Amino acid sequence: MKDFLHHLFIPRESNNHRSKALHHQSLLFVIVFLLAGLSFSSFVHRNYPSVLGISANISVQELLTLTNQKRQENGLGSLALDTQLSEAAQKKGEYMLAHNFWAHVAPDGTTPWVFIKNSGYEYLYAGENLARGFTTAPEAVTAWMASPSHRENILSSNYKDVGFAVMTGSLTGTETVLIVQMFGTRYVAKNEDVASEMAFVAISPEPSQAQSSPVPTRGEVLPTRAPMASIVPTSAPAVAALKNDPLIDSKSTKLNIGIFVLLFFVVVLIVDAVIIERKKITRVVAHNLDHIIFLLVILLAVILIGRGVTL
């Protein structure tokens, strides 16, 4: 067994002075094994979601509480949970899943404000935050607060109401958790003349405003220039929650396997490079440092993506 491990990891004459784990045949075996495992996990996930699925525990009430906590910490009043904004958030999430896109504005040009208006909410101010891949409410709210544009939405004094939707589904080929947060303040004119004078058009941000920041987070705020007239109170919707507790969490399992494989090859490359340097062995293949840096970059990307993203 000891001899086999040395052959697998230690450069020596039996493996042509390069760790057997780094030979083309070994790498091909690992790739085939991972692809087969991915296909098998997808089959189990589709047919037995109670065994292999996304583990998530997110409630609208917790999202509301955390959002209002951030506002209170910054001297702002609490937002009221609004049924129509929650309906708009639900429709927006369903629309993204049905049309397989991840953006504020759909490929067909449908904006968030369409869903808000269709829900019956006539807004004076409106905004939207999106999140995907988070499995708890604190993770999502923390990510929003780490992004200047999302933080601006959460801490805007222009908003009085908020609505949430939480759902799971397949988006761009990946099973994920979606969170939609809709903000608003109602526009109610005192009479028809005032209503006519206060008409407005919501303007989408310039393309440059929609570019991602160093953290993959973006948001939109669409304030109008008309003064706020009055606010109509609405009843709060029934508190919704997303709670999935499969036997095996597919997201964390795939993430951990990916991290393990990448770290495994990083360690093998480091050991291989150290031994070759110490023994002063000359060989044609000598790009370990390049490979190590490349794998570490991929590892960092995998970890960041695995934490979830906001928009």
Side-chain angles (χ1 to χ4, degrees):
M1 184 63 179
K2 182 179 179 180
D3 189 63
F4 170 76
L5 293 176
H6 283 184
H7 177 72
L8 189 62
F9 298 114
I10 307 300
R12 60 183 190 172
E13 188 174 352
S14 66
N15 54 31
N16 198 25
H17 299 290
R18 185 160 181 81
S19 305
K20 184 64 179 177
L22 300 177
H23 285 207
H24 292 160
Q25 301 94 322
S26 301
L27 295 176
L28 179 61
F29 172 79
V30 172
I31 292 172
V32 171
F33 178 79
L34 290 176
L35 290 175
L38 184 62
S39 298
F40 177 73
S41 66
S42 297
F43 170 80
V44 175
H45 180 71
R46 286 193 306 270
N47 296 278
Y48 305 98
S50 61
V51 176
L52 183 64
I54 298 178
S55 178
N57 186 9
I58 305 175
S59 73
V60 167
Q61 183 59 56
E62 188 174 12
L63 288 169
L64 177 66
T65 299
L66 292 171
T67 297
N68 281 332
Q69 277 182 0
K70 299 302 181 183
R71 290 177 63 85
Q72 291 163 8
E73 289 170 4
N74 287 272
L76 297 168
S78 296
L79 299 174
L81 190 60
D82 185 90
T83 50
Q84 291 175 327
L85 286 179
S86 292
E87 177 187 340
Q90 182 70 28
K91 295 297 183 183
K92 173 60 183 291
E94 292 173 353
Y95 199 79
M96 285 194 293
L97 292 176
H99 294 79
N100 196 35
F101 74 94
W102 170 244
H104 288 293
V105 179
D108 61 10
T110 303
T111 67
W113 331 123
V114 171
F115 300 99
I116 294 178
K117 287 186 175 180
N118 288 345
S119 72
Y121 191 99
E122 292 296 331
Y123 63 87
L124 177 61
Y125 298 99
E128 177 185 72
N129 283 346
L130 301 177
R132 64 182 288 191
F134 298 99
T135 56
T136 67
E139 289 177 345
V141 174
T142 298
W144 281 331
M145 291 298 292
S147 162
S149 53
H150 295 88
R151 179 186 176 90
E152 182 182 355
N153 267 342
I154 290 176
L155 300 184
S156 174
S157 59
N158 291 328
Y159 301 136
K160 303 299 179 183
D161 305 318
V162 68
F164 297 95
V166 186
M167 63 196 73
T168 59
S170 180
L171 192 67
T172 61
T174 303
E175 193 73 15
T176 189
V177 177
L178 292 183
I179 305 175
V180 181
Q181 183 181 43
M182 293 282 198
F183 302 92
T185 290
R186 289 180 178 275
Y187 165 67
V188 178
K190 294 181 180 179
N191 53 57
E192 293 183 0
D193 292 336
V194 177
S196 177
E197 293 174 1
M198 295 177 64
F200 64 85
V201 178
I203 302 174
S204 298
E206 295 297 325
S208 61
Q209 291 178 286
Q211 298 301 314
S212 59
S213 54
V215 180
T217 56
R218 287 165 287 183
E220 293 180 337
V221 183
L222 295 186
T224 64
R225 300 309 174 192
M228 182 173 62
S230 60
I231 303 170
V232 176
T234 58
S235 59
V239 175
L242 171 66
K243 185 172 177 60
N244 290 338
D245 193 19
L247 186 63
I248 301 174
D249 179 24
S250 60
K251 178 185 174 182
S252 62
T253 300
K254 291 177 182 178
L255 180 63
N256 291 336
I257 290 175
I259 292 175
F260 172 80
V261 171
L262 290 170
L263 284 177
F264 171 80
F265 281 108
V266 167
V267 171
V268 172
L269 284 167
I270 292 174
V271 171
D272 183 86
V274 169
I275 293 177
I276 289 299
E277 179 64 26
R278 285 183 177 179
K279 294 185 177 181
K280 303 299 180 183
I281 298 174
T282 303
R283 66 186 184 192
V284 177
V285 180
H287 299 287
N288 283 13
L289 181 59
D290 296 342
H291 294 153
I292 291 170
I293 294 174
F294 176 70
L295 290 177
L296 287 175
V297 170
I298 295 178
L299 179 62
L300 179 62
V302 168
I303 293 174
L304 290 177
I305 293 173
R307 294 170 59 186
V309 295
T310 58
L311 184 67

